[in-house]
Amino acid sequence: MPLCAHKRTPTSVFRDISYQNQIGERIKSRLATSTKDSKAFVQNLSLYRRLQAHRGCVNTVTWNDRGNYILSGSDDQTLVVTNPFTANELVKCKTGHRANIFSAKFMPYTGDQEVVSCSGDGYVIYTVLQSTDVCNTANISEFNCHSNSTTYEVLTIPQEPRCFMSCGEDGTVRLFDLRKLSNCHKMCCKENIVIMSPSSITAMCMSPTSQNYIAVGSSDSHIRIYDRRFLSYIDFTSGGDQNTVPVKAFTIPSLEKRPFRVTSVSYSADGTQLLVSYSSDHLYLFDISRNGVDVMPLNDKVKRKMNRHENADPPPVRRLRLRGDWSDTGPNARPEREVMDNGGASTGQVRPILQATMMNRMTEVISRMLADPRTRANLSLLSHLGQQANPTNTDEQRQQNEAGPSSGAPPHPNGSKNARDHDANYTSDDDDDEKPSQQLSDTYQEDMEENINYDYLLMKFTGHRNARTMIKEASFWGDEYIMSGSDCGHVFCWERATGKLVMLMEADHHVVNCIQPHPTLPYLATSGIDYDVKIWAPFQCNDDEEIQHFDEEKAQRLMERNAVMLEETKDTITVPAAVMIRMLACIHSFRNRNRGNIARIDDEDD
């Protein structure tokens, strides 16, 4: 059903009541709870307004504390502050980011004039907003401490307007104090690190009731909770294991021997539960008052298991997808087998048979090449010779090499490193070669499942699809409901207590990534691959416009399609066309070189 566009904006009684000074905070809280916890209000959520402020995918949306402004960041590397009720752009700032902006937050107690943001190039930038299109460099502080790896999220600290935190693919959480440091451009910086994790940190949030606790989501399926009162800057000169020990840790039961990357983690209003979204899996609700799993660092287990995996066969090559192919997303996407059964005659964004067949064929060719023992031997020999050619690499050079080969080097045959693209349109949850802990997390999972008591797992929410993007937020809606974006272009809303789906909203032509409820009132801000931010509110359209109701039969069909397509996407990685060509050329070159060596040996024997 298409999104309904309103000819006029109705007056919001909730907003008018909330901003009356004579209304006390208790009444405001009661109003917010009663409206958001109303099923009738949830099922009447309709499109209120579109904010068309960007020229790229909108990867981050956040409300200010009062709920009268929205801060958004995009692939166009701009930050925009908008009044969502009038659609007026208050500030539009072209930042110093060199890649897609992934997260942006208002700094507390700054009158919504100062923001902090991070992007796919590893930069964290503090900006004093101005009315001009380009912010003055004198009002910008840049931090490149994450060393050109993706920085996934920034986190502000209530009551501390000069401090903020960031997390990234380098497995660190960093604390920046603007009173002590205004800029940092050190490569492989080891300063300002308060949390070191054995795997990439992809999401984090702070407890709303006790600001001492920080929940951190990682690419190894684990949620770790840390107490800020026991954190300090890590001293790397002391040696030993530098990984920070959490207060508690949680994970999910899985029959698959692979980790699932956390794309979103959110505390409940009372701070007793965590809502966690996993890429290529589902949405889970944890009771963090329980003990969780063993908090022993993973490094010890990794070292003990390393020798066991050194001689293991390489992982199977997954199916490949060209970057920019969004045919498996959006409301009209269908599973491949359904398209094949229909002979390819379908509408909307269903992928063409020719392209799917070509990609499957290329995957088979690469799989056969890598299955050849001679090809694997040549790849291993090349890696060994490369290490011998540079025996005196410094620590900094080794870290740069681990981050990935240079643009002129041949790609890794599995494509997991060179295929990675740090934008919101690429899924990196299939990167099995990132760190030893990620390579062996399946073994750790297998060992732990024998002793884990999953009594902390309260609910599992299914039906949506989270596989295509690095960002997929989920959030509490009041005290009774849970919301999440999806690769099918819909917003899903479940009952928190039962896990039953109660509402669907078509909110994007491809993927819904961001879900941000208003701080108090029943307004919802969403964004995704479309170049706009959509605001939703509980009111009906005019008589001559379509009304978006919840259709259980349609929802059931969509959930079944999502389940099938989620399984298809688990075995698929996204790569640029140039990388795919280089992969084939590299492997073909190895095989030709090997044939030449064999022919030369035969000639010498003759």
Side-chain angles (χ1 to χ4, degrees), residues 542-555:
N542 296 330
D543 295 337
D544 58 342
E545 295 173 344
E546 296 186 50
I547 300 177
Q548 189 170 14
H549 292 296
F550 177 63
D551 187 336
E552 292 191 13
E553 293 184 1
K554 176 184 176 182

Side-chain angles (χ1 to χ4, degrees), residues 174-350:
R174 299 173 185 263
L175 173 63
F176 300 96
D177 189 339
L178 296 174
R179 296 166 296 186
K180 300 179 180 179
L181 185 66
S182 59
N183 288 278
C184 181
H185 295 281
K186 297 179 181 179
M187 294 297 296
C188 303
C189 178
K190 294 185 178 181
E191 301 176 2
N192 306 316
I193 299 176
V194 293
I195 295 176
M196 176 70 76
S197 173
S199 58
S200 301
I201 298 178
T202 54
M204 63 178 177
C205 66
M206 184 174 293
S207 172
T209 56
S210 175
Q211 298 165 7
N212 296 317
Y213 294 104
I214 300 175
V216 169
S218 303
S219 58
D220 61 2
S221 302
H222 284 74
I223 301 295
R224 297 172 175 87
I225 298 179
Y226 299 91
D227 190 336
R228 284 204 305 139
R229 293 168 294 185
F230 297 96
L231 297 179
S232 60
Y233 292 123
I234 297 178
D235 182 11
F236 288 91
T237 61
S238 60
D241 186 6
Q242 302 294 343
N243 287 321
T244 311
V245 179
V247 176
K248 290 184 178 181
F250 303 89
T251 188
I252 55 173
S254 176
L255 299 178
E256 301 183 41
K257 295 183 178 180
R258 53 163 292 187
F260 294 98
R261 180 171 53 86
V262 175
T263 62
S264 172
V265 56
S266 178
Y267 271 99
S268 61
D270 58 5
T272 62
Q273 297 179 3
L274 274 178
L275 182 65
V276 185
S277 181
Y278 286 90
S279 179
S280 299
D281 200 70
H282 305 289
L283 187 62
Y284 295 86
L285 187 63
F286 295 155
D287 180 2
I288 59 176
S289 63
R290 304 282 185 170
N291 292 329
V293 301
D294 186 4
V295 298
M296 184 183 69
L298 298 179
N299 273 10
D300 294 339
K301 287 184 175 289
V302 169
K303 293 177 182 178
R304 290 198 298 267
K305 305 294 184 180
M306 182 66 74
N307 292 333
R308 182 187 304 177
H309 286 74
E310 282 184 349
N311 299 322
D313 292 334
V317 178
R318 298 183 175 94
R319 292 185 299 174
L320 305 178
R321 178 199 301 114
L322 284 176
R323 184 203 297 168
D325 175 17
W326 294 102
S327 57
D328 62 342
T329 64
N332 296 322
R334 297 294 184 271
E336 283 188 2
R337 66 186 185 188
E338 183 176 330
V339 178
M340 296 299 181
D341 292 341
N342 295 334
S346 183
T347 59
Q349 299 164 325
V350 178

Side-chain angles (χ1 to χ4, degrees), residues 86-99:
T86 64
N88 292 333
E89 291 183 13
L90 305 178
V91 178
K92 188 169 187 177
C93 175
K94 180 67 175 180
T95 66
H97 288 294
R98 299 158 181 81

